[in-house]
Amino acid sequence: MADLKLPSRSEDFSEWYNQLVLRAEMADYAPVRGCMIVRPYGWALWENITAALDRRFKATGHVNAAFPLLIPQSFISKEQSHVAGFSPELAVVTHGGGEKLEEPLVVRPTSETIIGTAYAKWIQSYRDLPVLINQWNSVVRWELRTKLFLRTLEFYWQEGHTAHATLEEAEAETRRLVDVYTDFAVKEAAIPVIPGRKSDSERFAGADITYSLEAMMGDGKALQFCTSHNLGQNFSKAFEIRYLDQNGQLQYCWTTSWGLSTRVVGAIIMVHGDDQGLILPPRLAPYQAVIVPIFKTDEEKAQVLEAAKKISEQLAAGDVRVKVDQREGLSPGFKFNDWEMRGVPLRIEVGPKDVAKGSAVLARRDKPGKEGKSFVSQEGIASAVQQALADIQKALFDRALAFREANTFNPKTLDEFQAVVEKGFARAYWCGNAKCEEQIKASTKATLRCIPLEQPGGQGQCIFCGQASAELAIFGKAY
Ligand SMILES: [Zn+2]
């Protein structure tokens, strides 16, 4: 068993993550460097993420569609800052069907250009607006330093693309998605996030304004949870996305795009996991509860499995995602460790004594040992389990928030700033000058994560140059 132990998080967070992703069978490395194989357990988590988001997108008026993987190279060049931003990471197809192509094709790094071309065709009049489309797909950005879920050449995501008649509507849409993603992060992933605006240097290539949600990982580093971009008229002018307004005047549309990727799987692992393995938030966990039958004799086995089956049926009827671990030849202790590694929120133990008493043991993943154990009656067990899952969901969020608060600092000098970004976030005034931002990054390796939408008001001094500033920013080292 000794070699089965993960490195502890405090000793080597990065290696803890790498080994955990493999051992919990979330993902694996692929033959092509930079690529990732998402294994069924990891994909089941992603499916629950997509379902929770898709519900929210549809509830806010969006519909899904599918656009092609291949984009004519000339499309990418049409929007200047877009091409500058993405050129270094493009995968280009030069041959097809054994012949050299007249025009090379780009494997989509994102789909603004191909969708913009379609919108130019589809949108004629103000009556056609707004267009609110999302697609679930994968994109390719050439990347050789692999870190499963966090940094891969191909990754899975959704990209929303919308077109509007006015700047105000486009901005409202951009902000609506910030709210949608925040609701998802808090209620489903149990991850506290800081919604904010990106600085100009961290903005999406081709956007006027980029908003992001920033989350703190278990090592104090930041991870950008998702982004929402107000693209102004940059893409509509490059792709001629125009409409006739009510006065018969031809106008350019205002467009937005927004996305969330499989990086969020990495965030869930790094925010909630502990030295024993994953801890998945119940709302997203592939299995919310696992029943481990405990027995010695054949007679006990028959009784215990019968009870486990009944409990499982009650839970399934109560919409709990449940699994009975009937694997032969493995000890209950092995199974306990295995499901702990995989982060199943609740373990249900059923042994001969439980059968005799009509009871079962619930063991919470987030509270190891006796503290997380309770004895419940098999009758009406579904409501006890649902309550326990709700408690775990809340406890995970509360713990993540308390950790972030304890590791967010308000440095007053650059020396203090330098010291605290080794541990967590620095909240500091910034004058808005890109040079200050750049020099902070050069001297501390911390980047400006976002300028939070919620500001305390009042004034301070830029942490770098001392100039008066009205806005606090969050700085941190980032994934
Ligand atoms: Zn400054």
Side-chain angles (χ1 to χ4, degrees):
M1 285 298 275
D3 63 326
L4 284 175
K5 195 123 182 68
L6 288 166
S8 78
R9 300 193 328 149
S10 55
E11 163 196 331
D12 191 342
F13 193 85
S14 174
E15 200 43 35
W16 167 83
Y17 178 88
N18 293 342
Q19 288 196 26
L20 179 51
V21 168
L22 295 176
R23 303 240 306 258
E25 299 183 349
M26 301 289 279
D28 206 346
Y29 298 99
V32 173
R33 197 172 154 193
C35 289
M36 147 174 85
I37 297 165
V38 184
R39 299 187 66 174
Y41 194 58
W43 194 256
L45 175 59
W46 177 241
E47 280 179 335
N48 289 341
I49 293 170
T50 61
L53 279 168
D54 208 61
R55 270 201 308 277
R56 287 170 168 79
F57 296 154
K58 286 175 179 155
T60 45
H62 303 89
V63 289
N64 287 331
F67 292 86
L69 169 81
L70 298 174
I71 302 177
Q73 193 168 38
S74 58
F75 283 27
I76 302 283
S77 325
K78 281 189 190 172
E79 208 291 325
Q80 284 209 334
S81 49
H82 192 64
V83 66
F86 280 105
S87 282
E89 19 184 67
L90 291 180
V92 183
V93 179
T94 55
H95 290 72
E99 297 200 3
K100 190 166 189 287
L101 301 174
E102 254 177 58
E103 183 185 354
L105 303 172
V106 164
V107 181
R108 63 184 166 212
T110 178
S111 302
E112 277 77 4
T113 59
I114 191 113
I115 292 179
T117 307
Y119 283 7
K121 201 158 74 178
W122 297 342
I123 298 167
Q124 309 293 336
S125 134
Y126 69 92
R127 291 183 206 91
D128 301 326
L129 296 172
V131 175
L132 306 171
I133 293 180
N134 174 62
Q135 77 168 333
W136 291 97
N137 60 355
S138 70
V139 291
V140 166
R141 299 177 186 176
W142 213 258
E143 173 66 66
L144 294 175
R145 290 170 299 166
T146 315
K147 184 124 180 135
L148 295 172
F149 292 115
L150 298 177
R151 190 185 288 283
T152 51
L153 186 155
E154 180 189 18
F155 58 86
Y156 299 86
W157 77 343
Q158 58 68 220
E159 46 178 323
H161 295 269
T162 70
H164 307 264
T166 66
L167 168 62
E168 291 68 31
E169 283 176 33
E171 178 62 14
E173 167 76 3
T174 315
R175 293 291 292 267
R176 184 176 304 123
L177 267 297
V178 169
D179 293 343
V180 165
Y181 287 134
T182 302
D183 189 66
F184 164 80
V186 169
K187 291 191 187 148
E188 309 283 351
I191 295 179
V193 287
I194 303 172
R197 198 174 82 237
K198 286 287 189 187
S199 65
D200 289 354
S201 72
E202 300 273 337
R203 218 169 49 194
F204 175 72
D208 280 356
I209 309 173
T210 289
Y211 297 101
S212 74
L213 306 186
E214 300 292 327
M216 183 183 284
M217 302 298 102
D219 59 353
K221 282 165 86 174
L223 183 135
Q224 179 177 290
F225 196 83
C226 59
T227 49
S228 182
H229 315 291
N230 184 332
L231 304 173
Q233 293 183 317
N234 303 325
F235 284 90
S236 67
K237 286 186 173 161
F239 290 89
E240 299 285 316
I241 312 170
R242 294 185 293 181
Y243 71 99
L244 278 175
D245 70 12
Q246 275 148 304
N247 304 315
Q249 300 285 313
L250 204 53
Q251 306 278 1
Y252 284 106
C253 289
W254 299 83
T255 67
T256 83
S257 68
W258 27 273
L260 178 148
S261 77
T262 33
R263 274 172 78 86
V264 163
V265 173
I268 289 169
I269 296 169
M270 289 194 291
V271 168
H272 300 305
D274 67 10
D275 288 350
Q276 271 62 55
L278 301 175
I279 302 181
L280 297 178
R283 303 260 319 162
L284 297 176
Y287 302 123
Q288 296 173 307
V290 158
I291 303 173
V292 179
I294 303 164
F295 52 82
K296 287 206 177 78
T297 65
D298 282 349
E299 194 192 340
E300 285 174 355
K301 179 180 176 182
Q303 289 172 344
V304 164
L305 287 182
E306 175 64 19
K309 183 166 169 266
K310 280 191 182 145
I311 293 171
S312 153
E313 283 166 1
Q314 283 189 63
L315 295 183
D319 284 331
V320 175
R321 295 186 288 275
V322 61
K323 182 181 176 69
V324 183
D325 187 347
Q326 298 207 45
R327 287 178 292 175
E328 299 276 349
L330 298 174
S331 71
F334 178 92
K335 291 180 178 178
F336 291 179
N337 289 338
D338 193 38
W339 293 114
E340 266 176 23
M341 170 86 75
R342 291 161 182 262
V344 174
L346 200 62
R347 181 177 77 230
I348 303 173
E349 302 166 14
V350 189
K353 278 184 192 164
D354 301 301
V355 172
K357 284 189 289 185
S359 65
V361 178
L362 305 187
R364 286 174 59 159
R365 173 62 182 90
D366 64 318
K367 284 187 181 174
K370 276 207 174 110
E371 199 201 345
K373 282 203 178 188
S374 56
F375 297 86
V376 297
S377 166
Q378 287 177 28
E379 203 175 298
I381 195 169
S383 63
V385 166
Q386 284 160 347
Q387 186 57 51
L389 293 173
D391 292 346
I392 296 167
Q393 182 81 21
K394 182 173 184 308
L396 290 181
F397 180 83
D398 291 347
R399 183 158 81 183
L401 183 62
F403 180 82
R404 190 188 77 190
E405 293 305 307
N407 290 286
T408 300
F409 307 93
N410 299 293
K412 294 286 170 274
T413 66
L414 204 56
D415 279 348
E416 275 177 43
F417 182 102
Q418 187 135 24
V420 299
V421 292
E422 296 301 322
K423 292 182 276 184
F425 289 173
R427 192 162 31 199
Y429 282 95
W430 171 59
C431 64
N433 190 327
K435 277 194 184 140
C436 288
E437 184 189 1
E438 204 182 295
Q439 295 195 34
I440 290 170
K441 186 178 173 181
S443 59
T444 68
K445 294 200 177 74
T447 49
L448 198 161
R449 302 316 308 151
C450 73
I451 301 143
L453 297 177
E454 259 187 52
Q455 290 283 335
Q459 282 254 334
Q461 290 177 316
C462 173
I463 188 76
F464 193 79
C465 71
Q467 255 192 51
S469 155
E471 284 188 315
L472 275 170
I474 298 288
F475 294 86
K477 293 191 173 178
Y479 277 95

